Amino acid sequence: PFSSLRFRRLGSVVGTVRQVFLHSVRAGCVYSFTTMAARLGLPSAFDSPHLTLLIAFLGGTAVVRRHRSQGLALRIAFVGNSIQYYYDIPRLMETLCSVRIVQDSCFRSGATLPSLLAQGSSMSDDFGISPNANRDDGSLDVGALTVSALLLDAAPWDFCVLNDVTLAPAREATRDASIAALVSEYAPMLRKCGARPILLMNYAYREQVCNKNVDSTGLGDHATLTHRLREGLGAYAAALAAVLPSDQAPRVAPLGVAMLAVMEDRHRLWRDLFHPDHRHLSARGAFLQACVLHCTIFGSAPPANADPSALYVRARCLGWDAPDESNTPPTVEEALYLSGIAERVVRACGAAAGA
């Protein structure tokens, strides 16, 4: 599907990672890293129980098909940080989804999965300042104050989209801390509320970032960091799968792989997917993120009948301090391209599994 990608047999680890990632995406079907490495005659260092699961793509889940056939709303909870509240991913999903959804969220700026449990939401400051957060009764639609209030007090849920702080899955110490929180605290709540977890895979930054809050140095180039992130999310998924019922088996929404595919295919557009801080996504990038989530949950790209110019009219938050071009939604052509990338990458990664 990505005819402009070029693969070179490089002797370095970076070259190996790039070949495995991009060839697996280009293949257009489901391969694990180990299987694709073997097909390319590459080293077996990628052999990992987290990466060897082959999941058939069946075009949507049983719960989604049931909701469609019965005209029921699909209930989706969103848990995480600014990766999801920039451009208001929950409301964007309401706009794009092919069935009616009911959503709520718990977000905190800069939160890791463990710290969000301890500190709760910060959205009274972030969503609360927007007129779009005002309800008819005078209250504010800013999400739940805590993760437990979201998942348990508002249960049941069909899906729960979770994201960690961007680089946490790529480093052992932060990855282990998040896995411990997922197993000991998130999993019991997920079992009680019935939600299947959708783990949003993080993406490599546009540029290296090193400041008092974030340091991405030492994690390799875009392909290498994407591999680290995907491997980390695979570990998250494996840990949850071990403690959740089979009908709540987690899925990874491969946003990072989709971002890498755009970088290799349309580099200028890829740069436009980012906010000027190089870390967050722009309005175009948020659209790709929502398409990846839609494909992971529903098994297909969102309907192509949405007016791109109207995607964010209900958003409670755009990109902070972003110039107008970052807040510009995709054109019709860009939207079709990005939704197509999302669908092909999700199929290639095997993220959308029938259940």
Side-chain angles (χ1 to χ4, degrees), residues 294-310:
H294 190 284
C295 292
T296 303
I297 293 171
F298 294 92
S300 61
N305 55 7
D307 176 7
S309 66

Side-chain angles (χ1 to χ4, degrees), residues 173-247:
T174 48
R175 180 173 64 241
D176 289 348
S178 291
I179 288 174
L182 285 167
V183 170
S184 65
E185 299 189 68
Y186 283 94
M189 290 188 283
L190 291 167
R191 280 197 298 269
K192 288 182 181 179
C193 73
R196 168 170 278 187
I198 304 295
L199 300 171
L200 181 62
M201 179 192 165
N202 305 359
Y203 50 86
Y205 295 152
R206 183 170 61 183
E207 307 286 351
Q208 293 278 8
V209 176
C210 184
N211 56 44
K212 64 179 182 179
N213 298 316
V214 179
D215 182 5
S216 66
T217 58
L219 292 174
D221 69 0
H222 291 92
T224 303
L225 179 52
T226 302
H227 168 72
R228 290 174 181 264
L229 293 169
R230 188 178 183 188
E231 190 172 47
L233 267 290
Y236 289 12
L240 279 176
V243 295
L244 288 175
S246 58
D247 62 353

Side-chain angles (χ1 to χ4, degrees), residues 28-33 35 49-61 196-197 230 233-234 237-238 241 246 248-254 296 345-355:
C29 50
V30 180
Y31 288 107
S32 67
F33 272 79
T35 301
H50 305 141
L51 301 176
T52 55
L53 296 175
L54 301 181
I55 306 173
F57 180 87
L58 299 179
T61 65
R196 168 170 278 187
R230 188 178 183 188
L233 267 290
S246 58
Q248 289 182 269
R251 301 182 199 153
V252 175
T296 303
V345 165
V346 170
R347 286 176 181 264
C349 294

